[in-house]
Amino acid sequence: QVQLVESGGGSVQPGGSLRLSCAASGFSFSASAMGWYRQLPGKQRELVAGISSGGSTNYADSVRGRFSISRDNAQKTVYLQMNSLKPDDTAVYYCKREQIDGVVMPYWGKGTLVTVSS
């Protein structure tokens, strides 16, 4: 029932921009903290940006100032605006519903590939 569907990935040149979208369904989106994660080649999955139900945000040091997470509760969608992209941003990007211990289980989307190259 719960679904998270990422879109907006693709290929972009260094210095370019891309906006990822994550469309949610099957749960109370407005009450849920959401996150964007990425998995770089040969590395563990890492948090990129998070946004609380109230709209507060946090970012990985590597993307702070370049990326921006936002949400549209009416559309049940969370976005990741990525600017000044670098080759080392190349990764599969995943949308996640964050867990609340004993209340809500985490849920992951299937991911969308972002490739930054000349």
Side-chain angles (χ1 to χ4, degrees), residues 69-106:
I69 188 171
S70 62
R71 64 192 298 157
D72 185 336
N73 288 341
Q75 295 292 323
K76 296 184 178 180
T77 302
V78 61
Y79 302 95
L80 185 68
Q81 178 67 47
M82 304 185 293
N83 299 324
S84 302
L85 283 162
K86 305 174 180 179
D88 56 7
D89 293 320
T90 295
V92 178
Y93 285 73
Y94 297 89
C95 180
K96 181 192 179 187
R97 181 187 72 186
E98 300 290 358
Q99 71 181 48
I100 301 174
D101 288 347
V103 180
V104 178
M105 294 291 291

Side-chain angles (χ1 to χ4, degrees), residues 17 19-20 23 25 29 40-41 45 60-61 67 69 73 93 112:
S17 296
R19 188 178 76 157
L20 306 183
S25 61
F29 176 81
L40 280 68
R45 195 171 299 182
D61 289 342
F67 291 10
I69 188 171
N73 288 341
Y93 285 73
T112 185

